[in-house]
Amino acid sequence: MNTKFFALATLALSLAACTNDNEAIDNSPVAARINAEISNTVTTRASGTQWATYDQIGVSTIAGTGTYYNNVCYEWNGSSFTTPSENAIYFQTPESVTFRAYYPFTGTPGESAGVLTGVSTGSENQTAENRPLIDFLYATGATADTHHPTIDFTDNTKDNGRDCSFHHCMSQITLTFEAGSGVSFTAVKPVSYKLSGLTLTGSFDTETGVAEADENVRAADLTMGLGGALTSSVILFPQTLTSIDLTVNFNDNDYNATLTVPDGAMKAGNNYTWTVTVRNKDLSVGSAVISDWNPVSGGNVNADL
């Protein structure tokens, strides 16, 4: 009888220690889990692709609690962000911890990546392979603790929460080319285009998520081949400018136009989209539209030979 009593008592204590499925029964540190999405475009990058296998983010705690980590690398495995257990973030105290993160990961785990300087958005980094390297994303404000160890870098505003999802830190331009009066793209399509007057280098602060164009760098041209495509996008640093000169090479001729930038600045997270109509004598460029990424339409402009 005493044996049965002590067995029941032991079982009761064991059950009491498991009051939460996420809490370790021996009070050992609990590992954090990562749940991440990108604002308004769930699990999609600005470059138009989903999180790809081996994509890496750098996760850090915001100072102020007993749990402190800096620039921990988590990698997308096709369904979630993971890291080897020896590198994982563990909650060291019961208190709530606030986290921030950036993409793509760089630097040394455990050490702040700081400010990345001299980053180029030239044509060499506008390829499908390299564009993710300049597609800077940032998230902050997500909280978690030992009882709720999932770090939700997601938009919970619909549930009266906060938007802690990844946000685009760069600007984007998207041009769509259409054949106008007297022109056909059936046999010949635009070969390339050039954007003039841009600042193509800048910096990205991995701790604050601020991307800035270099102020002391001379404006330059960005030339992009189309390879038969009629839509093309480029990622650029946010910058102040009222207009961009556009030159389109079609049928061995250069067509010129001016893109008017809304509000006199290309802002972080905005995708500025223009429809460029190639006509027999000139170009017609529509007004910019801002969409989410956020697209911005630039309107219509005529460009003469």
Side-chain angles (χ1 to χ4, degrees), residues 84-114:
S85 58
E86 64 270 20
N87 299 331
I89 292 174
Y90 288 87
F91 295 95
Q92 305 298 323
T93 65
E95 58 189 327
S96 179
V97 183
T98 304
F99 296 85
R100 56 179 168 82
Y102 70 94
Y103 168 88
F105 174 83
T106 189
T108 303
E111 300 178 8
S112 173

PDB file of all heavy atoms in Angstrom, residues 84-114:
ATOM      1  N   PRO A  84      22.558  23.986 -36.272  1.00  0.00           N
ATOM      2  CA  PRO A  84      23.026  22.879 -35.428  1.00  0.00           C
ATOM      3  C   PRO A  84      22.770  23.175 -33.956  1.00  0.00           C
ATOM      4  O   PRO A  84      22.875  24.326 -33.511  1.00  0.00           O
ATOM      5  CB  PRO A  84      24.520  22.815 -35.735  1.00  0.00           C
ATOM      6  CG  PRO A  84      24.636  23.361 -37.128  1.00  0.00           C
ATOM      7  CD  PRO A  84      23.607  24.443 -37.205  1.00  0.00           C
ATOM      8  N   SER A  85      22.430  22.149 -33.182  1.00  0.00           N
ATOM      9  CA  SER A  85      22.044  22.343 -31.780  1.00  0.00           C
ATOM     10  C   SER A  85      23.111  23.059 -30.969  1.00  0.00           C
ATOM     11  O   SER A  85      22.798  23.859 -30.074  1.00  0.00           O
ATOM     12  CB  SER A  85      21.726  20.992 -31.126  1.00  0.00           C
ATOM     13  OG  SER A  85      22.845  20.127 -31.200  1.00  0.00           O
ATOM     14  N   GLU A  86      24.387  22.820 -31.296  1.00  0.00           N
ATOM     15  CA  GLU A  86      25.440  23.481 -30.532  1.00  0.00           C
ATOM     16  C   GLU A  86      25.525  24.979 -30.810  1.00  0.00           C
ATOM     17  O   GLU A  86      26.143  25.729 -30.057  1.00  0.00           O
ATOM     18  CB  GLU A  86      26.806  22.824 -30.809  1.00  0.00           C
ATOM     19  CG  GLU A  86      27.287  22.951 -32.243  1.00  0.00           C
ATOM     20  CD  GLU A  86      26.839  21.815 -33.133  1.00  0.00           C
ATOM     21  OE1 GLU A  86      25.851  21.140 -32.752  1.00  0.00           O
ATOM     22  OE2 GLU A  86      27.453  21.596 -34.196  1.00  0.00           O
ATOM     23  N   ASN A  87      24.901  25.421 -31.912  1.00  0.00           N
ATOM     24  CA  ASN A  87      24.907  26.844 -32.251  1.00  0.00           C
ATOM     25  C   ASN A  87      23.586  27.531 -31.936  1.00  0.00           C
ATOM     26  O   ASN A  87      23.469  28.744 -32.097  1.00  0.00           O
ATOM     27  CB  ASN A  87      25.205  27.030 -33.744  1.00  0.00           C
ATOM     28  CG  ASN A  87      26.561  26.471 -34.142  1.00  0.00           C
ATOM     29  OD1 ASN A  87      27.473  26.428 -33.331  1.00  0.00           O
ATOM     30  ND2 ASN A  87      26.690  26.048 -35.385  1.00  0.00           N
ATOM     31  N   ALA A  88      22.588  26.775 -31.529  1.00  0.00           N
ATOM     32  CA  ALA A  88      21.234  27.307 -31.375  1.00  0.00           C
ATOM     33  C   ALA A  88      21.118  28.318 -30.238  1.00  0.00           C
ATOM     34  O   ALA A  88      21.937  28.349 -29.318  1.00  0.00           O
ATOM     35  CB  ALA A  88      20.254  26.160 -31.140  1.00  0.00           C
ATOM     36  N   ILE A  89      20.084  29.143 -30.334  1.00  0.00           N
ATOM     37  CA  ILE A  89      19.758  30.082 -29.266  1.00  0.00           C
ATOM     38  C   ILE A  89      18.966  29.338 -28.194  1.00  0.00           C
ATOM     39  O   ILE A  89      17.972  28.672 -28.486  1.00  0.00           O
ATOM     40  CB  ILE A  89      18.930  31.259 -29.815  1.00  0.00           C
ATOM     41  CG1 ILE A  89      19.785  32.118 -30.754  1.00  0.00           C
ATOM     42  CG2 ILE A  89      18.350  32.108 -28.684  1.00  0.00           C
ATOM     43  CD1 ILE A  89      19.017  33.208 -31.457  1.00  0.00           C
ATOM     44  N   TYR A  90      19.413  29.444 -26.934  1.00  0.00           N
ATOM     45  CA  TYR A  90      18.722  28.838 -25.803  1.00  0.00           C
ATOM     46  C   TYR A  90      18.333  29.939 -24.821  1.00  0.00           C
ATOM     47  O   TYR A  90      19.132  30.839 -24.543  1.00  0.00           O
ATOM     48  CB  TYR A  90      19.616  27.820 -25.088  1.00  0.00           C
ATOM     49  CG  TYR A  90      19.823  26.542 -25.868  1.00  0.00           C
ATOM     50  CD1 TYR A  90      20.850  26.442 -26.795  1.00  0.00           C
ATOM     51  CD2 TYR A  90      18.993  25.437 -25.663  1.00  0.00           C
ATOM     52  CE1 TYR A  90      21.043  25.269 -27.524  1.00  0.00           C
ATOM     53  CE2 TYR A  90      19.178  24.258 -26.373  1.00  0.00           C
ATOM     54  CZ  TYR A  90      20.203  24.186 -27.306  1.00  0.00           C
ATOM     55  OH  TYR A  90      20.391  23.031 -28.022  1.00  0.00           O
ATOM     56  N   PHE A  91      17.120  29.863 -24.303  1.00  0.00           N
ATOM     57  CA  PHE A  91      16.678  30.831 -23.310  1.00  0.00           C
ATOM     58  C   PHE A  91      17.354  30.502 -21.980  1.00  0.00           C
ATOM     59  O   PHE A  91      17.200  29.406 -21.444  1.00  0.00           O
ATOM     60  CB  PHE A  91      15.158  30.793 -23.175  1.00  0.00           C
ATOM     61  CG  PHE A  91      14.444  31.221 -24.425  1.00  0.00           C
ATOM     62  CD1 PHE A  91      14.008  30.273 -25.338  1.00  0.00           C
ATOM     63  CD2 PHE A  91      14.241  32.560 -24.707  1.00  0.00           C
ATOM     64  CE1 PHE A  91      13.367  30.652 -26.496  1.00  0.00           C
ATOM     65  CE2 PHE A  91      13.602  32.956 -25.871  1.00  0.00           C
ATOM     66  CZ  PHE A  91      13.164  32.001 -26.774  1.00  0.00           C
ATOM     67  N   GLN A  92      18.097  31.460 -21.455  1.00  0.00           N
ATOM     68  CA  GLN A  92      18.864  31.244 -20.235  1.00  0.00           C
ATOM     69  C   GLN A  92      18.088  31.611 -18.976  1.00  0.00           C
ATOM     70  O   GLN A  92      18.450  31.187 -17.873  1.00  0.00           O
ATOM     71  CB  GLN A  92      20.158  32.061 -20.291  1.00  0.00           C
ATOM     72  CG  GLN A  92      21.010  31.776 -21.524  1.00  0.00           C
ATOM     73  CD  GLN A  92      21.490  30.332 -21.593  1.00  0.00           C
ATOM     74  OE1 GLN A  92      21.810  29.742 -20.569  1.00  0.00           O
ATOM     75  NE2 GLN A  92      21.533  29.769 -22.789  1.00  0.00           N
ATOM     76  N   THR A  93      17.024  32.402 -19.156  1.00  0.00           N
ATOM     77  CA  THR A  93      16.190  32.819 -18.031  1.00  0.00           C
ATOM     78  C   THR A  93      14.727  32.742 -18.457  1.00  0.00           C
ATOM     79  O   THR A  93      14.428  32.659 -19.650  1.00  0.00           O
ATOM     80  CB  THR A  93      16.516  34.266 -17.599  1.00  0.00           C
ATOM     81  OG1 THR A  93      16.173  35.157 -18.677  1.00  0.00           O
ATOM     82  CG2 THR A  93      18.001  34.424 -17.263  1.00  0.00           C
ATOM     83  N   PRO A  94      13.783  32.789 -17.514  1.00  0.00           N
ATOM     84  CA  PRO A  94      12.366  32.693 -17.864  1.00  0.00           C
ATOM     85  C   PRO A  94      11.809  33.953 -18.530  1.00  0.00           C
ATOM     86  O   PRO A  94      10.732  33.920 -19.119  1.00  0.00           O
ATOM     87  CB  PRO A  94      11.677  32.458 -16.517  1.00  0.00           C
ATOM     88  CG  PRO A  94      12.757  32.042 -15.588  1.00  0.00           C
ATOM     89  CD  PRO A  94      13.995  32.730 -16.056  1.00  0.00           C
ATOM     90  N   GLU A  95      12.508  35.081 -18.448  1.00  0.00           N
ATOM     91  CA  GLU A  95      11.950  36.339 -18.932  1.00  0.00           C
ATOM     92  C   GLU A  95      11.857  36.381 -20.457  1.00  0.00           C
ATOM     93  O   GLU A  95      12.571  35.695 -21.173  1.00  0.00           O
ATOM     94  CB  GLU A  95      12.797  37.524 -18.431  1.00  0.00           C
ATOM     95  CG  GLU A  95      14.253  37.460 -18.850  1.00  0.00           C
ATOM     96  CD  GLU A  95      15.093  38.517 -18.161  1.00  0.00           C
ATOM     97  OE1 GLU A  95      14.564  39.603 -17.887  1.00  0.00           O
ATOM     98  OE2 GLU A  95      16.276  38.261 -17.890  1.00  0.00           O
ATOM     99  N   SER A  96      10.950  37.215 -20.932  1.00  0.00           N
ATOM    100  CA  SER A  96      10.733  37.372 -22.365  1.00  0.00           C
ATOM    101  C   SER A  96      11.937  38.049 -23.027  1.00  0.00           C
ATOM    102  O   SER A  96      12.554  38.939 -22.445  1.00  0.00           O
ATOM    103  CB  SER A  96       9.471  38.212 -22.607  1.00  0.00           C
ATOM    104  OG  SER A  96       9.257  38.397 -23.986  1.00  0.00           O
ATOM    105  N   VAL A  97      12.255  37.605 -24.230  1.00  0.00           N
ATOM    106  CA  VAL A  97      13.406  38.123 -24.962  1.00  0.00           C
ATOM    107  C   VAL A  97      12.930  38.679 -26.307  1.00  0.00           C
ATOM    108  O   VAL A  97      12.065  38.084 -26.961  1.00  0.00           O
ATOM    109  CB  VAL A  97      14.451  37.014 -25.208  1.00  0.00           C
ATOM    110  CG1 VAL A  97      15.684  37.572 -25.897  1.00  0.00           C
ATOM    111  CG2 VAL A  97      14.834  36.345 -23.884  1.00  0.00           C
ATOM    112  N   THR A  98      13.485  39.816 -26.723  1.00  0.00           N
ATOM    113  CA  THR A  98      13.150  40.426 -28.016  1.00  0.00           C
ATOM    114  C   THR A  98      14.273  40.164 -29.008  1.00  0.00           C
ATOM    115  O   THR A  98      15.455  40.250 -28.664  1.00  0.00           O
ATOM    116  CB  THR A  98      12.936  41.941 -27.854  1.00  0.00           C
ATOM    117  OG1 THR A  98      11.925  42.170 -26.867  1.00  0.00           O
ATOM    118  CG2 THR A  98      12.469  42.558 -29.172  1.00  0.00           C
ATOM    119  N   PHE A  99      13.888  39.878 -30.253  1.00  0.00           N
ATOM    120  CA  PHE A  99      14.854  39.486 -31.269  1.00  0.00           C
ATOM    121  C   PHE A  99      14.782  40.390 -32.498  1.00  0.00           C
ATOM    122  O   PHE A  99      13.761  41.007 -32.778  1.00  0.00           O
ATOM    123  CB  PHE A  99      14.598  38.044 -31.728  1.00  0.00           C
ATOM    124  CG  PHE A  99      14.785  37.018 -30.660  1.00  0.00           C
ATOM    125  CD1 PHE A  99      13.758  36.713 -29.773  1.00  0.00           C
ATOM    126  CD2 PHE A  99      15.993  36.345 -30.525  1.00  0.00           C
ATOM    127  CE1 PHE A  99      13.933  35.767 -28.780  1.00  0.00           C
ATOM    128  CE2 PHE A  99      16.177  35.395 -29.531  1.00  0.00           C
ATOM    129  CZ  PHE A  99      15.147  35.109 -28.659  1.00  0.00           C
ATOM    130  N   ARG A 100      15.895  40.432 -33.231  1.00  0.00           N
ATOM    131  CA  ARG A 100      15.962  41.070 -34.539  1.00  0.00           C
ATOM    132  C   ARG A 100      16.715  40.129 -35.469  1.00  0.00           C
ATOM    133  O   ARG A 100      17.422  39.217 -35.021  1.00  0.00           O
ATOM    134  CB  ARG A 100      16.671  42.424 -34.473  1.00  0.00           C
ATOM    135  CG  ARG A 100      18.075  42.377 -33.890  1.00  0.00           C
ATOM    136  CD  ARG A 100      18.737  43.752 -33.875  1.00  0.00           C
ATOM    137  NE  ARG A 100      19.964  43.767 -33.073  1.00  0.00           N
ATOM    138  CZ  ARG A 100      21.147  43.369 -33.492  1.00  0.00           C
ATOM    139  NH1 ARG A 100      21.284  42.915 -34.743  1.00  0.00           N
ATOM    140  NH2 ARG A 100      22.209  43.422 -32.709  1.00  0.00           N
ATOM    141  N   ALA A 101      16.557  40.338 -36.784  1.00  0.00           N
ATOM    142  CA  ALA A 101      17.234  39.474 -37.749  1.00  0.00           C
ATOM    143  C   ALA A 101      17.393  40.210 -39.062  1.00  0.00           C
ATOM    144  O   ALA A 101      16.676  41.175 -39.351  1.00  0.00           O
ATOM    145  CB  ALA A 101      16.454  38.176 -37.952  1.00  0.00           C
ATOM    146  N   TYR A 102      18.348  39.753 -39.857  1.00  0.00           N
ATOM    147  CA  TYR A 102      18.562  40.348 -41.186  1.00  0.00           C
ATOM    148  C   TYR A 102      18.880  39.240 -42.188  1.00  0.00           C
ATOM    149  O   TYR A 102      19.183  38.090 -41.816  1.00  0.00           O
ATOM    150  CB  TYR A 102      19.723  41.360 -41.137  1.00  0.00           C
ATOM    151  CG  TYR A 102      21.079  40.696 -40.956  1.00  0.00           C
ATOM    152  CD1 TYR A 102      21.866  40.376 -42.072  1.00  0.00           C
ATOM    153  CD2 TYR A 102      21.563  40.362 -39.697  1.00  0.00           C
ATOM    154  CE1 TYR A 102      23.095  39.739 -41.913  1.00  0.00           C
ATOM    155  CE2 TYR A 102      22.781  39.734 -39.534  1.00  0.00           C
ATOM    156  CZ  TYR A 102      23.546  39.421 -40.645  1.00  0.00           C
ATOM    157  OH  TYR A 102      24.747  38.771 -40.509  1.00  0.00           O
ATOM    158  N   TYR A 103      18.781  39.580 -43.441  1.00  0.00           N
ATOM    159  CA  TYR A 103      19.096  38.660 -44.541  1.00  0.00           C
ATOM    160  C   TYR A 103      19.840  39.441 -45.617  1.00  0.00           C
ATOM    161  O   TYR A 103      19.490  40.597 -45.858  1.00  0.00           O
ATOM    162  CB  TYR A 103      17.792  38.084 -45.129  1.00  0.00           C
ATOM    163  CG  TYR A 103      18.001  37.357 -46.447  1.00  0.00           C
ATOM    164  CD1 TYR A 103      18.320  36.003 -46.479  1.00  0.00           C
ATOM    165  CD2 TYR A 103      17.894  38.043 -47.665  1.00  0.00           C
ATOM    166  CE1 TYR A 103      18.532  35.347 -47.691  1.00  0.00           C
ATOM    167  CE2 TYR A 103      18.113  37.397 -48.866  1.00  0.00           C
ATOM    168  CZ  TYR A 103      18.428  36.053 -48.873  1.00  0.00           C
ATOM    169  OH  TYR A 103      18.647  35.413 -50.066  1.00  0.00           O
ATOM    170  N   PRO A 104      20.817  38.832 -46.285  1.00  0.00           N
ATOM    171  CA  PRO A 104      21.385  37.511 -46.078  1.00  0.00           C
ATOM    172  C   PRO A 104      22.475  37.541 -45.010  1.00  0.00           C
ATOM    173  O   PRO A 104      23.138  38.557 -44.813  1.00  0.00           O
ATOM    174  CB  PRO A 104      21.978  37.179 -47.451  1.00  0.00           C
ATOM    175  CG  PRO A 104      22.402  38.513 -48.005  1.00  0.00           C
ATOM    176  CD  PRO A 104      21.362  39.489 -47.515  1.00  0.00           C
ATOM    177  N   PHE A 105      22.672  36.401 -44.341  1.00  0.00           N
ATOM    178  CA  PHE A 105      23.664  36.322 -43.274  1.00  0.00           C
ATOM    179  C   PHE A 105      25.066  36.598 -43.816  1.00  0.00           C
ATOM    180  O   PHE A 105      25.426  36.203 -44.923  1.00  0.00           O
ATOM    181  CB  PHE A 105      23.643  34.921 -42.646  1.00  0.00           C
ATOM    182  CG  PHE A 105      24.744  34.702 -41.637  1.00  0.00           C
ATOM    183  CD1 PHE A 105      24.597  35.129 -40.328  1.00  0.00           C
ATOM    184  CD2 PHE A 105      25.941  34.102 -42.021  1.00  0.00           C
ATOM    185  CE1 PHE A 105      25.621  34.946 -39.407  1.00  0.00           C
ATOM    186  CE2 PHE A 105      26.968  33.918 -41.111  1.00  0.00           C
ATOM    187  CZ  PHE A 105      26.809  34.344 -39.795  1.00  0.00           C
ATOM    188  N   THR A 106      25.860  37.270 -42.983  1.00  0.00           N
ATOM    189  CA  THR A 106      27.258  37.509 -43.319  1.00  0.00           C
ATOM    190  C   THR A 106      28.061  37.617 -42.028  1.00  0.00           C
ATOM    191  O   THR A 106      27.500  37.743 -40.933  1.00  0.00           O
ATOM    192  CB  THR A 106      27.423  38.794 -44.159  1.00  0.00           C
ATOM    193  OG1 THR A 106      28.770  38.882 -44.642  1.00  0.00           O
ATOM    194  CG2 THR A 106      27.091  40.034 -43.351  1.00  0.00           C
ATOM    195  N   GLY A 107      29.361  37.578 -42.132  1.00  0.00           N
ATOM    196  CA  GLY A 107      30.211  37.750 -40.960  1.00  0.00           C
ATOM    197  C   GLY A 107      30.460  36.461 -40.196  1.00  0.00           C
ATOM    198  O   GLY A 107      30.342  35.358 -40.728  1.00  0.00           O
ATOM    199  N   THR A 108      30.769  36.613 -38.907  1.00  0.00           N
ATOM    200  CA  THR A 108      31.128  35.494 -38.038  1.00  0.00           C
ATOM    201  C   THR A 108      30.059  35.298 -36.978  1.00  0.00           C
ATOM    202  O   THR A 108      29.692  36.260 -36.290  1.00  0.00           O
ATOM    203  CB  THR A 108      32.479  35.775 -37.342  1.00  0.00           C
ATOM    204  OG1 THR A 108      33.479  36.005 -38.326  1.00  0.00           O
ATOM    205  CG2 THR A 108      32.882  34.604 -36.460  1.00  0.00           C
ATOM    206  N   PRO A 109      29.514  34.088 -36.840  1.00  0.00           N
ATOM    207  CA  PRO A 109      28.528  33.848 -35.777  1.00  0.00           C
ATOM    208  C   PRO A 109      29.069  34.255 -34.418  1.00  0.00           C
ATOM    209  O   PRO A 109      30.218  33.968 -34.080  1.00  0.00           O
ATOM    210  CB  PRO A 109      28.297  32.331 -35.859  1.00  0.00           C
ATOM    211  CG  PRO A 109      28.618  31.980 -37.282  1.00  0.00           C
ATOM    212  CD  PRO A 109      29.762  32.889 -37.646  1.00  0.00           C
ATOM    213  N   GLY A 110      28.251  34.948 -33.646  1.00  0.00           N
ATOM    214  CA  GLY A 110      28.660  35.409 -32.322  1.00  0.00           C
ATOM    215  C   GLY A 110      29.201  36.821 -32.317  1.00  0.00           C
ATOM    216  O   GLY A 110      29.347  37.419 -31.256  1.00  0.00           O
ATOM    217  N   GLU A 111      29.508  37.358 -33.505  1.00  0.00           N
ATOM    218  CA  GLU A 111      30.027  38.714 -33.619  1.00  0.00           C
ATOM    219  C   GLU A 111      29.120  39.533 -34.543  1.00  0.00           C
ATOM    220  O   GLU A 111      28.717  39.053 -35.596  1.00  0.00           O
ATOM    221  CB  GLU A 111      31.449  38.701 -34.189  1.00  0.00           C
ATOM    222  CG  GLU A 111      32.448  37.931 -33.354  1.00  0.00           C
ATOM    223  CD  GLU A 111      33.828  37.894 -33.982  1.00  0.00           C
ATOM    224  OE1 GLU A 111      34.022  38.609 -34.997  1.00  0.00           O
ATOM    225  OE2 GLU A 111      34.689  37.159 -33.481  1.00  0.00           O
ATOM    226  N   SER A 112      28.828  40.757 -34.145  1.00  0.00           N
ATOM    227  CA  SER A 112      27.968  41.610 -34.955  1.00  0.00           C
ATOM    228  C   SER A 112      28.551  41.798 -36.352  1.00  0.00           C
ATOM    229  O   SER A 112      29.748  42.033 -36.522  1.00  0.00           O
ATOM    230  CB  SER A 112      27.798  42.975 -34.298  1.00  0.00           C
ATOM    231  OG  SER A 112      27.099  43.856 -35.153  1.00  0.00           O
ATOM    232  N   ALA A 113      27.684  41.696 -37.363  1.00  0.00           N
ATOM    233  CA  ALA A 113      28.134  41.936 -38.737  1.00  0.00           C
ATOM    234  C   ALA A 113      28.286  43.429 -38.999  1.00  0.00           C
ATOM    235  O   ALA A 113      28.924  43.827 -39.982  1.00  0.00           O
ATOM    236  CB  ALA A 113      27.148  41.320 -39.725  1.00  0.00           C
ATOM    237  N   GLY A 114      27.682  44.268 -38.139  1.00  0.00           N
ATOM    238  CA  GLY A 114      27.843  45.713 -38.247  1.00  0.00           C
ATOM    239  C   GLY A 114      27.279  46.282 -39.535  1.00  0.00           C
ATOM    240  O   GLY A 114      26.264  45.826 -40.065  1.00  0.00           O
TER     241      GLY A 114
END
